[in-house]
Structures are given as C-alpha cells and as structure tokens.
Amino acid sequence: MPAATLAGSDSLTHRPTVGLVLSGGGAKGIAHAGVIQALEENGVAIDFVAGTSMGAIVGGLYSAGYTPDEIVDLILSDEFSNWSTGKIDPALTYYYLKPQKSPAVVKFNIGKGDSTSLTSLLPSSLISPIPMNFGFVEMFAPHTAVCQNDFDKLFVPFRCVASDVYNKRKVVLSKGNLGDAIRMSMTFPAVFKPIEKDGLPMFDGGIYDNFPVSVMKEDFAPDVIIGVDVSTGEKPDVTNLISQLESMIIQQDDYSLPEKDGIKLHVDCKDYGLLDFPKAKEIAKRGYDLTISMIDSIKKRTGPGVDPKSIALRRDIYKCKVQTVKFDSLIVEGTNRQTEKYMRHMFFEHPGDTVDIAKAKDVYYQMITSGKFRDLVLEPEFKPDSRLFTLRMKASVKNDIGLGIGGYITSSTNSLAFVSANYETLDLNSFSGEIKGWVGQSYYGGLLNARMLIQSGLPTSFNVQTAAFRQNYYEDDAFFFESDHPSYLTEKEFYVKAGLGIGIGRHAKLNATVGYGYLNPHFYTQGGLIGNIRETQNEGRYKLGKVGVTYDFNTLDNEVYPSRGSRIVVNAAGVLGSERYVNNILPEYTTDYSRVKWAEIELDMQKYFVLSNRFSLGMRLDALASTKKLYENYLASIAQAPAFAPTQSSKGLFIPSFRANSFVAGGVMPVFKLLDNMLLRLEVYGFSPMRTIEKNFDGSPRYGDWFGSVDVMGEASLVYNFSFASLSLYGNYFNAPESNWSVGVSFGFYITAPKFLR
C-alpha cells in the first residue's frame, strides 16, 4: 500500500511510515495500550496496526478510534468482565422470563440432536459466549459501517491473525465484520467458543503467528516497524490450567524483529497472569514506562514526529463518522419455523420496521433469559448502499424436553434429593410444563406446573400449579442428622391454584392467583397430662380458598447468597375457609369445623449497597400485617403463624419466638468479597411480633402486648458460588427459646415447593 494514499493531517509524505505489531499474551497484552500512549504523547504517529489475540483486541480498539485511556477503562469495565468470564449481567435479563431457581445441579436435554451422554453434559467452552456475542456487535459494528467492511478505512488500517486448525495455517483478516475478526483472533481453544469463517471454525491467531511481523511487511510495508512482545518465555505454571493450555497450543517461539526493519520492545510482564485484567492500569504502565525509556531510540528511526494534537484531531474526525447501528432485516438459521417466527416477531413487530442497537440489545437479552438457547451467534452484515445492517442470527436451541438432577446436602436434617422433568417450546405462544420431586429426611413432595406465555403488549402468561408435600420442623439444627427429639411440627399440604402473570419492565412481574388448599399440620403436645413424653401428634385440618396479588421486583445477583442488587416483594391476599383441631390425646377436646377468614399484606424489601469492589452492605425489612384470629388451641395457632426464616439453615427449624400472624423484622448483611466467587457473609436480624402469641394455663392461646418482645438471630457463612450450586460453611445463633448456637456445612440450594399461604 503506497504511503501517500494514507496521507492525513500529519502528512505521511514528510516522515517515515510506522507500523505497530502487537503480540498475544492474555491480560499481559494490556501493556500494548501503555506503549501506544507513550508513542502518541511523543508525536510518534502510528500508520498501520497488526495484532494477534490480545494484540488484536487492543490494536482493533485503537484502529477503531479508541484512545489508550479508553482502552484501559473498557478493560476495567463491568461489561468487559462479563464478556471475558461469560457472566450475564442480571441488570440486562428479564426477571419475568427467567426460569425459577431449583436445586438441580445437572441439567440436560434429550431428544434429536441431544443426548444424555457425558459429552452433551459438558459445555462447548469454559466461558459462555452469550454475553460476548452481543457485546462485540455493540462495540465494533459501528466501525464496520464506517470502514464499509474494509479495515484499511478505519482510523488506522488494521490486520489481525486467526488460525485455521483444520488446514493448519494462519488466516490474515483484512475485510468483513471487525468484531468477528477480532473474536476469531482471540478465540483461545477450549476457553472461548469459535465462530466460523467460510464454514471452518477460527481459533486464536497465536497458534501459528503470535507476533505478526510478516503480516505487517506483506500487507503494509512500512518504513519502520515497532514490535511489542509481552511473552514471558517461562515454563507453564503447573497449577494453572490456562497457562498449561497456552504452552501446548501456542507454537511460535520466534519473537525476533530484524534491526533493519525496526525496533522491538519486550515488556516484562512475567508477574502477571493471563487473566489479570483487573490489574490493567499496572500492566499498561509497564508498557508506558518501557516505551518512555526507549523513546529517543524510537524517534531516531521514526523522525521528529508530529504534533500530538494532530493525532487527536484526526481521531475526532474519524469518530464523527460513527453512527448508530440500525437493522432492517433478519436472517435466522438453526431453528424450526415456529421459533424463527417468534424471533422475527421479537425484532420486527411490523413490516418495514428498523431496529437500532439499543432495541436489538433489549430483544437479545429478552430471548436468552428463558435459557432455551445454548448459543445465539450474531453476524451483522453491513450494506453500503443503504448504510443499514442485516442481522444474521445462528441459533442453537435446546431440545424441548429437559431433565434435572440435584439436591441439597447439609449437616443438618434438611438434606434432600431432587429430580425434575420439563417440556418447553419456544414460539409466539410458548408452553412449558414441568414435574418436580423432592425426597429427604425432613421433606418430600411433588409439584406439577403448566404455563402458557402469550405475546401481547406486555408479556402475559396463564399458569396452573398443583403441589403436595410433607415437611418436618425441628427445635434445633442437629449436626450430621443426630437429633435427640422427634420433629416438633410436621406440615402437610395439598393445593391447586391458577394465576395470571404480567411482566412489568425488565425487572418486575405481577401475579394474580386463586386457589384451594388442604393443610394438615401435626404437632406434638408437650408436658401437661402425659408428663414430658411427646408420643402422640395432634393435628389441625384446614380447607382454605385464597385470592392473592403479588408484585415482585428483583435485581439481586444471587437468589440465595446475594451481594448486590435489590428486591421488593409486596403480597396481598384474602383467605376464606374452615378449620378443625383434632386432639388425639383427649378426643373430647376435638373441635368441629368452624369458619375462618382473614386478609393480609406483606412488604419484604432488601437492598445491597456496593461500597467497594470487595465490600457491600445489605439491609432488609420484612413487615406482615394480618387480620387473622387465633385458633382455639395454642399449638394450632403458633403452627399456622407465618415464620421469619431468612437463611437456609433456619428454614427447617420450628422456633415459636420467630412466628407471628403480624410482625416487623429487619436486618443488616455485610458481605465481604474474598475472591471472585468466594464471599464472607454476616447476617444479623431482629424479629418483633406486633402481638406475641402466648399460651394460657389450659392450653388456649392469647395475644400478648403490642410489640412486647424483640428476638435476635445471626449467621456467619463462608460461601463459594459455583455456576450450578453454592458451598457454605456456616455458624448461627438464636436467642430464643434459649441461647442456641450451631455450626454446619451445606452444598446446593434449599429450595422447595412454594407454600399455599406464604
């Protein structure tokens, strides 16, 4: 390419042309941004860029008009963290469409194209491509439009290198979609899922050319080449899987640059790992400091340079050309007609519509929230004539039939096994049906749920659910299944309910339900006429109808162990039915069925304030007001009173001091982020009944004084969050009925069938 054709405000005809070659190296490649910063500040204009892997990312961003500071800021952003780790930002998903959390540890699909074999259970890459798929479109598609698919027309002409492992050769990318080219160059095998070029998967360019000096010579032939090498040349770290893979995969060990061709800068980054992206500023400074120390030698080869303001002006002129990306058509591959019709409707409700990048992002995350897509590859195709894009979507959709296996393993009495089977379609009026089953020492039950999702102005669904379960509650958190006493309370429930659900915005849903439930709690008598023997269970029998409305807003990052986000649940209900108390010890005290009715409203709020990268402070308020009256028996009244159980370890305990028909409870939850997936959680809660349920001498109940007591519970837990479950080592304390300390360990999520009343 003749130098004169690239003349700009800094007039290439009066100085040597400069080509910048950037090697791969994971996070170590952030040093490239520091090198560029030093060159620009000293008037060394960069005329061409060629990069591999991380060098392609930094070089591609620079060629697309990003300043070195903007590149570092991007790498430190939450968005880049999500792309590089495969984490889907909860703020972008649709709460209404998210599958309900379950104790399943392993999930897989069966049917055509799927199997229950081991290979189908393993992910196709260590890092999910879902967040990166749209992120790269959002970041690079505007620049594909500016250069009209020709990388020579970017702010700085650009090349990157990918690897065709099928034909065992490198592939130099100079045209097409800029985001796709950079992704191909950085797709480290097994870590990232490859995308295809001409029907063949492309992988990290470092496999065959990690220092593309030859590409720079052949495509641009600059007067001077500045080569930046961040390789360490060290033996692989045997404790680091990625380091070992890099050593096995990267074949090039020649990072030489002949003196006649230019100057090589070797940035010493051996102190940093491949994934040390949070240390971006430190790493960039390494590159900056080295370049400053060699700037005189560099300028002897490149000439006196240009005014840095002219580089900034040329960048500003380029950025003025960048416009909002718009799509006017959609091509869908890899799905059936029903799913294609659904996807087309999501993007274009009416013929002739155009969709901007913000709307496309909204639709993309709305579609992936359901969990039905294994992958959804986006390939925007720019059309110079109209300056619009066609969006090609290659969808990998899960089979309609799914299975789940898991459970909750704990040192207390709450361990259980879990299985599920579900059928789910993906079309304009999607249907889903599921069966869930739990079996454990303290809990067993089953649930059947069916839902029809109707496409309308607001997402709407009709839901029918039926469940039956039995749950035992104990007075203490016995360690390793050793309990001195039988269960104090056994709840048995059967119910059926139907509901209408409406999605409200991205993070909220509104549900209206009507249902019928038969509740049959059994409880032991204590003391009295039979001394201290608790052998016979008395019971309550309740036949109840319920109408309720629930508003649920949720942005928590984890349903069980959150550290950021907030949740607000408002629940209002009316209950009408009959109740009967059965005394199996003294039958003469058995009552006939009597009418009961009450109304209740509950507000449950929790919010986490992120005070630093490693610390957040959570706060919770739970207030319940009810017109529910006491039953004729104290045990029946306390057993049917709602319980405040904010932690997993408290859910299987029967503690009368934390049960009331109406109450106010609150707490604080400091959370320390020790590692990316390891948390230290401290939780302290106070509970105050509006009126305590107390026991008369004859066993009948009475209400105590208004807000007559405050009880306290606390828990400290060390939690490691895997993608499929959590491991927790915890210790807790309850001040009532007496000071009670316990410790334990748990793995998984203690999630059971929803209760009928609350």
Side-chain angles (χ1 to χ4, degrees), residues 453-642:
L453 182 64
I454 307 298
Q455 290 296 325
S456 59
L458 290 175
T460 304
S461 68
F462 296 97
N463 192 81
V464 177
Q465 184 179 89
T466 182
F469 65 84
R470 170 177 174 157
Q471 182 169 11
N472 296 332
Y473 291 86
Y474 296 84
E475 292 180 285
D476 52 28
D477 190 7
F479 195 59
F480 288 108
F481 302 95
E482 296 177 1
S483 179
D484 295 332
H485 305 291
S487 62
Y488 191 80
L489 169 67
T490 298
E491 286 187 343
K492 297 180 181 179
E493 285 194 17
F494 167 79
Y495 65 80
V496 59
K497 57 185 177 181
L500 174 68
I502 299 175
I504 302 176
R506 190 184 292 271
H507 304 301
K509 57 185 178 181
L510 185 70
N511 288 302
T513 59
V514 58
Y516 167 82
Y518 177 72
L519 284 60
N520 183 209
H522 290 63
F523 30 82
Y524 286 96
T525 57
Q526 185 172 12
L529 296 177
I530 351 183
N532 291 321
I533 301 174
R534 297 186 294 173
E535 295 180 346
T536 306
Q537 287 184 326
N538 297 328
E539 58 183 288
R541 297 176 183 175
Y542 306 89
K543 301 175 181 178
L544 304 174
K546 176 185 174 184
V547 176
V549 177
T550 301
Y551 171 82
D552 188 354
F553 172 91
N554 192 348
T555 61
L556 296 178
D557 61 340
N558 187 295
E559 188 169 330
V560 180
Y561 298 111
S563 61
R564 61 178 59 202
S566 60
R567 188 173 189 183
I568 301 173
V569 180
V570 181
N571 182 42
V575 182
L576 177 66
S578 59
E579 63 95 10
R580 183 188 186 199
Y581 172 69
V582 179
N583 192 318
N584 292 313
I585 303 173
L586 299 172
E588 61 269 25
Y589 286 96
T590 296
T591 65
D592 293 328
Y593 276 106
S594 59
R595 303 290 289 178
V596 293
K597 62 179 179 180
W598 71 88
E600 64 184 30
I601 185 168
E602 181 176 14
L603 170 64
D604 188 358
M605 301 188 300
Q606 54 183 310
K607 181 174 178 60
Y608 287 82
F609 299 91
V610 180
L611 303 180
S612 73
N613 290 335
R614 295 295 179 182
F615 177 71
S616 60
L617 179 64
M619 303 185 72
R620 182 168 183 174
L621 172 67
D622 189 355
L624 172 65
S626 172
T627 63
K628 188 176 185 180
K629 297 180 179 180
L630 297 175
Y631 298 127
E632 295 184 17
N633 178 273
Y634 168 76
L635 287 176
S637 296
I638 201 70
Q640 280 298 290

Side-chain angles (χ1 to χ4, degrees), residues 234-543:
E234 295 183 331
K235 294 180 180 179
D237 181 356
V238 296
T239 65
N240 187 308
L241 176 61
I242 304 300
S243 176
Q244 295 177 61
L245 286 173
E246 181 189 35
S247 180
M248 290 185 290
I249 292 170
I250 304 302
Q251 299 182 14
Q252 178 173 345
D253 58 6
D254 180 10
Y255 291 88
S256 62
L257 175 60
E259 185 178 352
K260 65 180 180 62
D261 295 325
I263 299 174
K264 178 186 172 183
L265 307 180
H266 177 72
V267 186
D268 183 3
C269 292
K270 62 176 179 293
D271 298 336
Y272 301 100
L274 289 170
L275 302 178
D276 276 340
F277 295 108
K279 299 177 181 178
K281 289 188 176 180
E282 296 177 27
I283 299 172
K285 191 173 185 303
R286 289 281 181 98
Y288 179 89
D289 290 345
L290 175 68
T291 307
I292 291 297
S293 70
M294 298 180 65
I295 197 65
D296 291 339
S297 298
I298 293 171
K299 295 186 75 170
K300 285 180 181 179
R301 298 292 298 270
T302 62
V306 300
D307 185 348
K309 292 181 180 179
S310 70
I311 301 175
L313 177 61
R314 192 158 55 87
R315 179 183 286 113
D316 290 340
I317 293 172
Y318 170 84
K319 286 184 174 182
C320 288
K321 302 176 184 177
V322 179
Q323 299 178 350
T324 300
V325 172
K326 291 187 177 182
F327 304 97
D328 68 346
S329 56
L330 178 68
I331 298 174
V332 179
E333 300 175 1
T335 69
N336 57 40
R337 290 185 61 186
Q338 290 78 12
T339 301
E340 180 182 347
K341 187 176 180 180
Y342 158 76
M343 295 171 67
R344 203 172 290 282
H345 173 79
M346 292 291 290
F347 276 94
F348 303 105
E349 295 183 21
H350 308 289
D353 283 353
T354 58
V355 176
D356 63 18
I357 195 72
K359 171 66 174 177
K361 184 176 184 177
D362 186 72
V363 172
Y364 176 78
Y365 277 94
Q366 189 171 346
M367 290 195 300
I368 66 170
T369 297
S370 68
K372 281 286 288 180
F373 291 97
R374 286 191 194 84
D375 196 5
L376 193 57
V377 178
L378 309 181
E379 296 182 356
E381 298 176 355
F382 180 66
K383 297 176 290 188
D385 292 342
S386 63
R387 302 198 63 80
L388 297 173
F389 282 84
T390 292
L391 182 58
R392 184 182 297 273
M393 305 186 75
K394 296 182 178 179
S396 175
V397 184
K398 296 177 182 178
N399 191 268
D400 292 342
I401 301 174
L403 300 176
I405 300 173
Y408 179 66
I409 302 172
T410 178
S411 54
S412 74
T413 56
N414 282 344
S415 292
L416 51 81
F418 173 81
V419 295
S420 66
N422 69 283
Y423 175 83
E424 183 178 8
T425 65
L426 186 63
D427 50 45
L428 288 175
N429 297 314
S430 300
F431 171 81
S432 64
E434 61 181 341
I435 300 173
K436 298 180 179 179
W438 296 261
V439 177
Q441 178 182 358
S442 301
Y443 186 93
Y444 62 84
L447 179 143
L448 176 63
N449 188 75
R451 185 176 79 157
M452 178 68 75
L453 182 64
I454 307 298
Q455 290 296 325
S456 59
L458 290 175
T460 304
S461 68
F462 296 97
N463 192 81
V464 177
Q465 184 179 89
T466 182
F469 65 84
R470 170 177 174 157
Q471 182 169 11
N472 296 332
Y473 291 86
Y474 296 84
E475 292 180 285
D476 52 28
D477 190 7
F479 195 59
F480 288 108
F481 302 95
E482 296 177 1
S483 179
D484 295 332
H485 305 291
S487 62
Y488 191 80
L489 169 67
T490 298
E491 286 187 343
K492 297 180 181 179
E493 285 194 17
F494 167 79
Y495 65 80
V496 59
K497 57 185 177 181
L500 174 68
I502 299 175
I504 302 176
R506 190 184 292 271
H507 304 301
K509 57 185 178 181
L510 185 70
N511 288 302
T513 59
V514 58
Y516 167 82
Y518 177 72
L519 284 60
N520 183 209
H522 290 63
F523 30 82
Y524 286 96
T525 57
Q526 185 172 12
L529 296 177
I530 351 183
N532 291 321
I533 301 174
R534 297 186 294 173
E535 295 180 346
T536 306
Q537 287 184 326
N538 297 328
E539 58 183 288
R541 297 176 183 175
Y542 306 89
K543 301 175 181 178

